[in-house]
Every structure is written in C-alpha cells, then in structure tokens.
Amino acid sequence: MRPRQPVREKSRRTREHILFAAERLFAERGFSSSSMRDITAAAGVNLSVVYYYFKDKEALLFSVIESFVLPIMDRERELLRAAREEAGADEPIPPRRLVESMILPRAECGSESARRLMMRLFSRAGSIEKKVFARLSELTKDVRDESAKEFCRTFSHLSKEEVRFRIANFMAMLNGWGAVAPFLKDAGMLRKEFPRDRRTYYEMLIASVLRLFDAPAMLPVPAEAERI
C-alpha cells in the first residue's frame, strides 16, 4: 500500500531540514570539522534518522551540493532555451540575454550559507574537494556545453577554446565576489564602499562581462564545422 501524502510530505521536510543543518555547519566549520552528531544536534533529530536518508557524511555533503547546484542549472537551462526560442533558429542569441542566462540563476537561487560552503570547498584541494569538483563537473556538463555552444554562436569572432576560457574567467569573477562579500558585509563595507542600489551593480556586472566577450580574439577561429 502506498504511503499517505502527509507521511511523504513529513519525510521530505525532515530530509530538507537535515540538509539545511548540514549546509550551515559545513559552511561555518568545514566538512572535516563537522561531525554527524553535530549535524543531528543542529537538525534536532536522532542519528539513526540522518543515516536513514544519507549513507554517510560524504553522501550528505554531496546531497547538499546537489540541492544548491541543480536548481541553478535548471534555471540556466530554462533561460537559455527561452532566449534561443526568442532569437529563432537562424539567429544568434543577443549578447545581453546570453550573459543574463548565466548571471540571473546564480543571483536568484541558493542561500548565502550554500554559497559560503562552495567558496570554502573551492579554496582547498583536498581529497573531498576533488571529489566535489568532479561531481560538480558531472552535474553541470550538459548546461555548460549548451551554454558554450550558444556563446560560440553569439561571439563568432572567438574560438571555442577562447569562449570557454572567458566563461571560466567570468565564473571566477562571480565566485571571487561570492567569497569576499560576506566579509565586506560583516565589516559594514558593503554600505560604505558600495552604497548604490543592487540594480546598478547588476548593470555594471553585465557591462563588464559583455566587454570581456567583445574583446578581440587572441586565438585563431577554426572553420565552423570544427567549432561546434
């Protein structure tokens, strides 16, 4: 007999509660310094409950990462395909719409603690961080390839290699801002040094990225058959 809807909903909420508790602890203390007992205490559940949903602490970390990354990828895919539909089959996507398809999902999705966790993981190169990076590469590959293909089409003066290099620079810029923003916020520097409204900085970011991709090519552009 199938479980009743209220039971399934309670199970879903319990799992999400554990994920959020783990996310906050991993972000604040790091993966190695957060024990499963710390997580159960923060979540207010028994250890057996955590192990019911997650095989071990590593599986819990990967679930936290996936709960952060997958909504971003879904939103980016949605925006990218909407932009492609608007542009039509024969025309490249307008540069601004293309850049927005990458920026907006990262601005809209995920909590601050999830972003801090990602920055903490990216700042090290231990065995668990390498596993996380490999998993991230798997989770994002399809969207990265789809996005890179559209960037090649829009910025046709660039080779595929150079497009991917500039996308990597763009993402490094976003990740770098994500890493330093919490410290600026804690020190009150966001208000002192960046007093303008959020929309202004959004437009400045868009302009910066567009200039990055509009810059002259450094590598030769191969034939179209070799680019895609």
Side-chain angles (χ1 to χ4, degrees), residues 144-145 147-153 155-170 212-213 215-228:
R144 283 188 291 114
D145 288 347
S147 183
K149 184 175 181 179
E150 294 293 359
F151 268 82
C152 281
R153 192 170 177 183
F155 300 99
S156 57
H157 66 294
L158 302 176
S159 67
K160 182 177 180 179
E161 180 183 358
E162 195 158 352
V163 163
R164 287 188 178 272
F165 179 80
R166 294 190 189 195
I167 289 176
N169 274 271
F170 165 31
L212 170 67
F213 281 95
M218 298 296 293
L219 300 175
V221 180
E224 187 65 21
E226 299 173 356
R227 284 171 48 81
I228 303 302

Side-chain angles (χ1 to χ4, degrees), residues 205-222:
L205 177 60
I206 291 286
S208 297
V209 175
L210 288 175
R211 289 186 180 183
L212 170 67
F213 281 95
D214 281 335
M218 298 296 293
L219 300 175
V221 180

Side-chain angles (χ1 to χ4, degrees), residues 44-177:
V45 298
N46 294 326
L47 190 60
S48 60
V49 174
V50 178
Y51 281 116
Y52 173 78
Y53 291 101
F54 307 100
K55 176 184 175 182
D56 51 31
K57 191 171 71 166
E58 185 175 303
L60 178 52
L61 173 64
F62 275 62
S63 293
V64 168
I65 298 300
E66 289 173 9
S67 67
F68 172 63
V69 172
L70 290 178
I72 293 176
M73 294 299 99
D74 288 343
R75 181 63 173 148
E76 183 174 341
R77 187 182 293 107
E78 177 187 345
L79 292 176
L80 195 61
R81 292 179 179 175
R84 163 50 52 215
E85 186 174 339
E86 290 174 12
D90 300 326
E91 296 295 326
I93 295 173
R96 181 185 175 91
R97 291 281 281 126
L98 193 54
V99 170
E100 283 181 333
S101 72
M102 295 188 72
I103 290 180
L104 283 178
R106 288 158 179 79
E108 296 172 348
C109 304
S111 64
E112 184 172 318
S113 60
R115 293 189 181 94
R116 294 181 73 170
L117 168 59
M118 297 303 292
M119 294 310 107
R120 180 184 280 273
L121 291 168
F122 286 151
S123 68
R124 299 187 55 189
S127 59
I128 190 63
E129 289 81 13
K130 290 178 181 178
K131 289 181 181 179
V132 168
F133 190 80
R135 181 58 179 149
L136 282 173
S137 294
E138 292 175 7
L139 291 173
T140 62
K141 184 180 185 305
D142 289 347
V143 180
R144 283 188 291 114
D145 288 347
E146 186 175 349
S147 183
K149 184 175 181 179
E150 294 293 359
F151 268 82
C152 281
R153 192 170 177 183
T154 296
F155 300 99
S156 57
H157 66 294
L158 302 176
S159 67
K160 182 177 180 179
E161 180 183 358
E162 195 158 352
V163 163
R164 287 188 178 272
F165 179 80
R166 294 190 189 195
I167 289 176
N169 274 271
F170 165 31
M171 297 309 299
M173 179 171 64
L174 290 181
N175 290 334
W177 175 256

